Amino acid sequence: AQSVTQLDSQVPVFEEAPVELRCNYSSSVSVYLFWYVQYPNQGLQLLLKYLSGSTLVKGINGFEAEFNKSQTSFHLRKPSVHISDTAEYFCAVSDRGTYKYIFGTGTRLKVLA
Amino acid sequence: GAGVSQSPSNKVTEKGKDVELRCDPISGHTALYWYRQSLGQGLEFLIYFQGNSAPDKSGLPSDRFSAERTGGSVSTLTIQRTQQEDSAVYLCASRPTGTAADTQYFGPGTRLTVL
């Protein structure tokens, strides 16, 4: 069975500082990996995804993530955050057949002025 | 183009009543998913439709939950005899075929409150 762990439920960070949101997964098969963002009272928006190839993937709004197969991790990073990045971030894995998502519990990023 | 839409956006009901939640996927998307987002459980998969195949119901929490997808487009999630623990945001997502077949596109959700 697949599972996703987001160890940090909340991450406070000052504006213009770097941030890393951690995601670890477990799976016995090859998976696809995703990061979604949810702004208050809105649906989920795709930030970036890893399917294959280069382990460093770049997404929207200046975010990037690195797939590390040996550590089964897919951490999300941004070198300089803005107040507008305040939101909840979800890591997800899917199998390569049904594409059903297994989500982590989410990390609430709060950017402080 | 139009995204995934869901209705109603908010639904308040009394315990024991039945509710129907609607999802209109992006036109042409063959796959459709329902998820539930609740405070205690995070985001959980409920059910998955792919074309004309039998749906994958493996995530439905009880037999009070059912869903159908008519004509390969609109989907309705029905919860019978609602309980307070059914209170959550119900999210629908659709997925295309072809080169972007790996990504799901989510609607804004229906917030269900069971009193």
Side-chain angles (χ1 to χ4, degrees), chain B residues 30-82:
Chain B
T30 58
L32 187 147
Y33 304 77
W34 284 97
Y35 295 88
R36 179 170 69 174
Q37 185 175 22
S38 55
L39 282 177
Q41 302 296 326
L43 272 159
E44 307 169 272
F45 163 78
L46 295 177
I47 189 169
Y48 158 53
F49 296 89
Q50 172 61 64
N52 296 321
S53 302
D56 178 343
K57 305 179 183 180
S58 60
L60 295 179
S62 78
D63 58 9
R64 295 186 296 105
F65 287 72
S66 63
E68 62 178 20
R69 188 178 185 193
T70 53
S73 181
V74 171
S75 177
T76 303
L77 177 69
T78 300
I79 308 173
Q80 296 178 309
R81 305 180 303 281
T82 52

Side-chain angles (χ1 to χ4, degrees), chain A residues 36 38 49 98-100, chain B residues 33 37 45 56 102-104:
Chain A
Y36 279 83
Q38 187 176 36
K49 60 186 175 185
T98 66
Y99 301 99
K100 290 187 299 185
Chain B
Y33 304 77
Q37 185 175 22
F45 163 78
D56 178 343
D102 46 78
T103 301
Q104 296 180 29

